[in-house]
Amino acid sequence: TYVIAQPCVDVLDKACIEECPVDCIYEGQRQLYIQPDECVDCGACEPVCPVEAIYYEDDLPEQWKDFYKVNVDFFEEL
Ligand code: SF4
């Protein structure tokens, strides 16, 4: 799955939402989140993010590794 990391916080640009073919990007209070079970790993969202907040799970920069869990947890709380 792709993951939305720290740079999205308080930005929520939403360009990614327009690109996602399966509409699996959801809006939270302070950032957007990708539903890991719905994401088809197409990568379309990654290049359109103006703040480079989106990464494939295995490519998350070290300082944002915990955002994998942050994205998963968002949907468990719903
Ligand atoms: Fe949507 Fe594709 Fe991005 Fe997954 S990788 S969130 S399916 S645009």
Side-chain angles (χ1 to χ4, degrees):
T1 184
Y2 276 71
V3 172
I4 301 183
Q6 178 72 38
C8 184
V9 175
D10 294 331
V11 176
L12 299 98
D13 177 83
K14 301 181 196 161
C16 57
I17 291 177
E18 302 294 313
E19 294 300 318
C20 183
V22 294
D23 293 329
C24 68
I25 304 176
Y26 297 82
E27 187 174 353
Q29 291 286 352
R30 297 190 60 195
Q31 73 161 95
L32 304 176
Y33 300 93
I34 293 173
Q35 214 302 348
D37 298 326
E38 296 174 7
C39 175
V40 295
D41 292 346
C42 72
C45 54
E46 185 185 350
V48 301
C49 177
V51 293
E52 293 183 42
I54 308 178
Y55 297 87
Y56 181 64
E57 57 183 316
D58 294 338
D59 298 332
L60 275 165
E62 201 57 44
Q63 69 271 31
W64 298 326
K65 291 277 188 221
D66 55 332
F67 274 81
Y68 171 79
K69 191 171 185 319
V70 168
N71 279 240
V72 169
D73 286 352
F74 175 73
F75 296 98
E76 302 209 324
E77 285 163 12
L78 293 181

